[in-house]
Amino acid sequence: NGAPDVVWHASITFSSTREEVVALGTAVLAAISYGRIEGEEAEGDKDRMRPSIRVQNVAPCAVGVVYNFDGGREGTEWTDPKVVFDYDRRVPTSAHRIDFSASECVAIRKDRSLLKDEEKLFDEAQKWSKGKYNPLREDAALDLRVRVVQRME
């Protein structure tokens, strides 16, 4: 569809954290509460201390992926978001796998509805797996674009 979406945003900065971020954060909070880490002087008031850490809640959101099988060119359609994580669900314990073969990319380019039916997609992809379709498969695989999007509440 190409138009910016008011619900799903692709231009949000991505931040990655280490696995032990919860343990480190807990240790820092404990150190502050027991006075092991002191704050800094507040600007303009030497008698008041600025907190050494500010705690704030994270806004609930959802993370998803969208695909484009036409190289992301202007006027081409992106798929509907496939939700990987939603704020009211548990965090996935494994990585989200994106697994498209080149022949599946060709089949999806020809018929977008195949994304909803894996059996039909598999059958249709078999038709494009012959050697004479190598250039088509190569172009389709190189044109696959994946975008990570975030829904803000």
Side-chain angles (χ1 to χ4, degrees), residues 112-146:
R112 302 290 171 153
S113 67
L114 294 173
L115 274 171
K116 296 179 178 137
D117 189 351
E118 286 188 33
E119 287 182 25
K120 275 186 179 177
L121 176 59
F122 179 79
D123 293 339
E124 197 65 29
Q126 294 302 312
K127 297 175 186 175
W128 298 102
S129 63
K130 296 178 178 62
K132 65 182 180 180
Y133 298 118
N134 280 349
L136 267 178
R137 286 198 315 269
E138 183 179 353
D139 289 342
L142 290 173
D143 279 347
L144 173 63
R145 298 289 184 270
V146 178

Side-chain angles (χ1 to χ4, degrees), residues 53-90:
I53 190 170
R54 290 189 189 130
V55 178
Q56 64 187 65
N57 293 331
V58 175
C61 63
V63 176
V65 291
V66 293
Y67 308 106
N68 183 296
F69 295 90
D70 300 304
R73 289 183 284 281
E74 198 68 36
T76 60
E77 279 191 32
W78 288 84
T79 62
D80 290 332
K82 177 177 176 12
V83 176
V84 175
F85 168 76
D86 209 346
Y87 71 92
D88 61 348
R89 292 193 223 155
R90 291 184 177 198

